[in-house]
Every structure is written in C-alpha cells, then in structure tokens.
C-alpha cells in the first residue's frame, strides 16, 4: 500500500511541476509584481482557453498532492 501511494505521489508531483511550468506568466518585472497582483486579485483579467484548463488542472493536482502526502504520513 505504501509503495502504491509513493508511486502515485511521485507521478502527481511530476505532473504538477510540468503543469506549473507550462503556465504563462501574468506579468514580468518589479512593476508587474507590484501592480499585477492587484489586477489578478480583483479579477480584472480572466483566464481563457488553455490558461483556464492549466489553472484547473493545477488546482486538482495540488489537492491530490496534499491528500496523497497526508495518506502516506498516516500509513
């Protein structure tokens, strides 16, 4: 059981890394770090197409990662 959970955790971890690296940056530089966060926080820019799919896959994989990590600690 432990080996199966570890294998799943490694697969989910690698998939999460790939999906995060595939996402495009919202803004670059120091000015983007200051003003870009506020725009994203208040929803002025909506994700569309591939960005939306990657965002949802990232959320799902991150939830799976935490569930598997907690399951490994428990068993």
């Amino acid at each position: 059981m432990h080996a199966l959970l570890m294998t799943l955790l490694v697969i989910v971890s690698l998939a999460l890394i790939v999906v995060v690296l595939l996402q495009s940056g919202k803004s670059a530089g120091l000015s983007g770090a200051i003003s870009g966060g506020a725009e994203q926080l208040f929803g002025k820019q909506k994700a569309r197409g591939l960005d939306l799919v990657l965002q949802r896959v990232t959320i799902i994989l991150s939830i799976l990662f935490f569930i598997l990590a907690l399951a490994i600690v428990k068993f």
Side-chain angles (χ1 to χ4, degrees):
M1 181 71 173
H2 183 72
L4 176 68
L5 289 175
M6 280 299 277
T7 305
L8 287 174
L9 184 65
V10 169
I11 292 170
V12 169
S13 300
L14 292 174
L16 186 59
I17 290 169
V18 169
V19 169
V20 167
L21 289 176
L22 283 175
Q23 293 180 8
S24 61
K26 300 296 178 199
S27 56
L30 185 59
S31 64
I34 295 171
S35 64
E39 290 177 6
Q40 188 177 14
L41 179 64
F42 295 115
K44 290 184 181 176
Q45 295 180 347
K46 301 265 184 191
R48 293 199 176 122
L50 183 61
D51 290 333
L52 181 62
V53 171
L54 289 174
Q55 182 181 6
R56 289 183 179 167
V57 170
T58 303
I59 292 170
I60 292 169
L61 286 175
S62 62
I63 291 171
L64 280 173
F65 177 81
F66 283 110
I67 290 172
L68 287 171
L70 290 174
I72 286 175
V73 170
K74 186 113 175 150
F75 291 113

